[in-house]
Amino acid sequence: MRLLSFLGLLVGGTFSLAIAVKSQVNPSSIDVFQMPELPPPPEDGRILSEKGLVVSTQRQASEVGAKILAQGGNAVDAAVAIGYALAVTEPCCGNLGGGGFMLIQPAQGKPTFINFREKAPLAAHKELYLKQPRGASRNGYLAVATPGTVKGLEAALTQYGTLERAQVIAPAITLAEKGFVLSQGDVAILRVGRERLLQPNIAEIFGTVKGQRAGDTLVQKDLAQTLKKIAQGGEKAFYQGEIAENIVKASKAEGGILSLADFTQYTIRQEKPLICTYRGYEVITAPPPGGGLPLCQMLNILEGYPLEETGFRTPQALHWFLSAMFYGYRDRNLYLGDPDFVSIPSEKLLSKSYAAQLRTKIPNYFAIRVKNTLPTKLDGQTTHYSVVDRQGNAVAVTYTLNSYFGAGVMAPKTGFLLNNEMDDFTTKLGSPNQYGLSQGSANLIEPGKRPLSSMSPTIVKHRGRLFLVTGTPGGSTIITTILQVITNIIDYRLRVDQAVNSPRLHYQGEPRTVLIEKKAISNQVRRDLEKRGYQFSERLTNWGAAETILLNSKGVLEGVNDYRRPAGAAIAEPQLQKSLTR
Ligand code: GLY
């Protein structure tokens, strides 16, 4: 049976390839992303280290990071190396053609937040998609925002790294040029890409029968050339040379609006991260347009409830959780946007008194009533990785192409996929995006503006000491996933791997349905919550991989690769390579 369905895939894939290489991405095509059934989480999913540790959603990329640490690099060197390696080994999500956020907490000193989120092209405007076919903000060149990843990684390395650019990009070049052997987990993700991987320029690399089987070697020659150019010329090679020119040319030819000015004028934003407190812990996270503000708001609301005493996943505790999620998402949709363009009442939204005020609005028993809307699709993907080095420097990175394999377009000779981050804007007031988020006017498209994001790389400290480094992909479920990882550890005292692997819930108010992972709640609890007015769905199958590191009270790092991403790995800095010098 398994063989038959596999053969079906091969035949389908080969046949589609012949057609797709001549066609454009169909903007109205509907993606149905489904990850295969997972084996259960391991009994103990922790990897321990007394030195450095990295965890990412792709094993070879984690190995790259661990080796960079062993070569004397610090956590930022390793994070930049992983960022480039994932662009090769996890093409669904790791990227050069997208953007994201990096949170750095040096062992000594203040944290910093590097926002390299993509920007809307200068020719974009708030009515861009109103007369376009359905799906134009998700598929094809019109969906592409100006990428920020290369500038973000470069900024981090220049300011906080210790190794040369060429040294941290070298492993990625080797992985692209010589190829890497696909694991079953890698193949599962490539298969999820389906239609996007059968498009012009992309099909030649990924859409082949060969590239879809575990054990095959995936070689990416064009990507290796692109990486070499970046290794030599830095961000200029990406934003001011042939790479940008090729993207702009392809975009113009295919109905996109990217111009060279979008690339030459692209800037990152670097600032103090958003910091809030939760039961005596310091939560350092992503300021807008990232998802840290609603995360802190939810934590502030929950802080007023006796979660531990009320019990893990009891109806009452879940009612408080779902209500906190409701208000976090309501305010996100009402108030948040790119702070370079809109004024956000952050102080009020983050205050403990505002949380107390919201708690008074939460009914004791019944669910908060909202209008019902269409079910959400939630098919996007992103990737998160965490690094801590032996000095205690910590880095959390979440970066993304938005959907799996972005907009499904690749400019000739570049070798990397381009994002569809334009769909994270409010493309039409009142219309939900792919995550079912009906966002507000603060997030309307403007030239050079960054779309709102849920990405929230997060570092938690306790009494001034590093405690947790976390984050996750998963579109709008990012914020609620991190909320659960943090509260699972702080309130419910779960071990870090149990906190990560424990089945999850997600609620964003609209749609009214609470998404639940299998076994997240018992039937009895579900019936109780249904009586309160909640409704549930197990439709979402690709929950995000919360790649997390905890520093325990004995000073040992505990890293966990989320079992939901079997391609990933937590890897300790190799002991044997301790003496290697750079
Ligand atoms: N692209 C998903 C997010 O940034 O929230």
Side-chain angles (χ1 to χ4, degrees), residues 50-53 69 73-76 104-109 387-395 459 461 464-467 469 551 555 557 573:
E50 289 181 342
K51 302 199 296 164
L53 202 142
L69 292 181
N74 67 14
V76 174
I104 303 172
Q105 172 62 69
Q108 313 293 335
V387 184
V388 180
D389 66 23
R390 67 179 90 170
Q391 287 82 28
N393 301 301
V395 183
I459 293 175
K461 287 166 79 177
R465 178 180 182 270
L466 182 69
F467 179 65
V469 186
L551 178 65
L557 295 170
E573 181 182 341

Side-chain angles (χ1 to χ4, degrees), residues 180-512:
F180 68 99
V181 178
L182 293 166
S183 71
Q184 200 58 55
D186 298 325
V187 169
I189 293 172
L190 289 178
R191 286 193 184 156
V192 168
R194 290 183 191 148
E195 190 184 338
R196 282 183 165 86
L197 294 184
L198 296 170
Q199 300 304 321
N201 306 319
I202 309 171
E204 287 85 325
I205 305 164
F206 301 106
T208 60
V209 172
K210 274 196 102 186
Q212 306 256 342
R213 282 205 310 230
D216 282 345
T217 299
L218 178 61
V219 174
Q220 300 171 75
K221 293 275 184 213
D222 284 344
L223 181 54
Q225 288 310 316
T226 293
L227 287 164
K228 279 182 189 171
K229 283 180 192 152
I230 298 169
Q232 273 166 10
E235 61 176 60
K236 269 195 182 162
F238 187 90
Y239 291 92
Q240 295 180 28
E242 222 182 324
I243 302 170
E245 282 160 17
N246 284 336
I247 296 172
V248 169
K249 199 168 151 202
S251 170
K252 285 193 170 139
E254 307 289 347
I257 53 170
L258 285 165
S259 68
L260 280 177
D262 288 312
F263 285 82
T264 54
Q265 290 179 31
Y266 179 84
T267 48
I268 59 153
R269 183 180 156 117
Q270 189 168 347
E271 63 197 304
K272 185 173 170 261
L274 193 153
I275 302 179
C276 61
T277 58
Y278 181 65
R279 302 196 199 278
Y281 290 78
E282 192 181 19
V283 179
I284 305 166
T285 185
L293 195 149
L295 171 68
C296 284
Q297 217 183 321
M298 292 173 198
L299 288 168
N300 282 343
I301 293 172
L302 289 176
E303 199 175 38
Y305 293 119
L307 293 184
E308 191 181 357
E309 294 87 322
T310 310
F312 185 60
R313 299 279 158 92
T314 56
Q316 189 58 34
L318 286 172
H319 169 57
W320 291 328
F321 265 95
L322 298 175
S323 303
M325 291 175 186
F326 171 86
Y327 278 118
Y329 275 97
R330 186 204 63 172
D331 285 356
R332 177 192 188 277
N333 293 339
L334 273 177
Y335 299 113
L336 303 197
D338 182 348
D340 280 339
F341 286 76
V342 293
S343 157
I344 300 169
S346 299
E347 209 172 311
K348 172 189 159 182
L349 296 177
L350 286 165
S351 70
K352 300 280 183 194
S353 59
Y354 180 61
Q357 199 185 319
L358 292 178
R359 275 195 300 275
T360 65
K361 295 187 178 175
I362 295 175
N364 286 336
Y365 184 81
F366 286 108
I368 300 160
R369 303 276 166 198
V370 288
K371 73 178 187 321
N372 212 343
T373 55
L374 294 171
T376 175
K377 275 176 66 261
L378 286 166
D379 60 6
Q381 267 304 338
T382 300
T383 190
H384 175 85
Y385 58 97
S386 300
V387 184
V388 180
D389 66 23
R390 67 179 90 170
Q391 287 82 28
N393 301 301
V395 183
V397 181
T398 314
Y399 74 152
T400 187
L401 291 170
N402 196 13
S403 295
Y404 268 116
F405 305 97
V409 289
M410 181 185 283
K413 298 191 220 136
T414 59
F416 60 88
L417 285 138
L418 292 162
N419 69 84
N420 63 353
E421 225 67 56
M422 290 300 285
D423 192 60
D424 273 346
F425 278 113
T426 308
T427 53
K428 187 176 173 199
L429 276 168
S431 284
N433 72 358
Q434 68 171 323
Y435 306 112
L437 292 169
S438 291
Q439 305 177 107
S441 50
N443 189 36
L444 282 166
I445 301 170
E446 291 181 60
K449 188 176 179 182
R450 299 177 207 269
L452 205 48
S453 171
S454 297
M455 293 187 291
S456 317
T458 297
I459 293 175
V460 181
K461 287 166 79 177
H462 193 221
R463 300 196 177 114
R465 178 180 182 270
L466 182 69
F467 179 65
L468 194 70
V469 186
T470 191
T472 183
S476 56
T477 68
I478 288 173
I479 301 166
T480 53
T481 291
I482 301 172
L483 178 76
Q484 286 165 84
V485 170
I486 291 175
T487 53
N488 283 351
I489 294 172
I490 294 178
D491 292 286
Y492 298 116
R493 297 165 203 278
L494 296 193
R495 229 173 45 202
V496 62
D497 56 321
Q498 293 165 340
V500 165
N501 292 336
S502 158
R504 299 185 191 135
L505 300 94
H506 171 75
Y507 187 44
Q508 56 193 50
E510 281 182 59
R512 189 163 167 179

